[in-house]
Amino acid sequence: MLTELREYVVRPGAMADFVRVFTEQVVPLRRRFGFRVEGVWVDEPGDRFVWVVSHPAPDGWEAAVGVYQEARVQSVHPDPTSFLAEVKTSLVTPLDVVG
């Protein structure tokens, strides 16, 4: 399983619209393509939206994301990236430190 940390800076005043598109359209589409949303956090005063998403990615992360992105462009409206001022992503590795 590969996991990606995604950090967004949302344009001021656009958080509610972005969250609506994310929850109503992005998450269901991600799930349809085998992704699992591990967690979502919002820092409204800082206009930050952070989430973690995983996928088995048997053909690699880029292949899994590519298939999803093609479908997103066709079916998610408005484009969720139109609400964003900045995007940072990185593949992360979990550590077993709890317990």
Side-chain angles (χ1 to χ4, degrees):
M1 183 77 68
L2 294 177
T3 302
E4 185 175 58
L5 171 66
R6 302 186 63 85
E7 300 177 74
Y8 304 153
V9 175
V10 179
R11 288 187 298 105
M15 185 66 78
D17 290 331
F18 174 76
V19 168
R20 181 183 46 77
V21 171
F22 181 83
T23 57
E24 294 176 4
Q25 297 183 61
V26 171
V27 170
L29 186 63
R30 285 273 187 171
R31 288 183 177 146
R32 191 171 109 206
F33 285 94
F35 288 87
R36 188 169 94 191
V37 176
E38 304 290 350
V40 179
W41 299 265
V42 174
D43 166 17
E44 287 198 50
D47 293 318
R48 289 186 50 218
F49 184 93
V50 178
W51 63 298
V52 176
V53 60
S54 297
H55 192 281
D59 297 321
W61 187 256
E62 294 303 319
V65 170
V67 172
Y68 159 77
Q69 290 288 4
E70 285 182 35
R72 183 186 62 78
V73 167
Q74 298 299 317
S75 63
V76 177
H77 302 287
D79 180 354
T81 64
S82 69
F83 300 107
L84 305 179
E86 182 181 331
V87 174
K88 289 180 12 182
T89 65
S90 54
L91 289 175
V92 294
T93 304
L95 297 177
D96 186 15
V97 297
V98 179

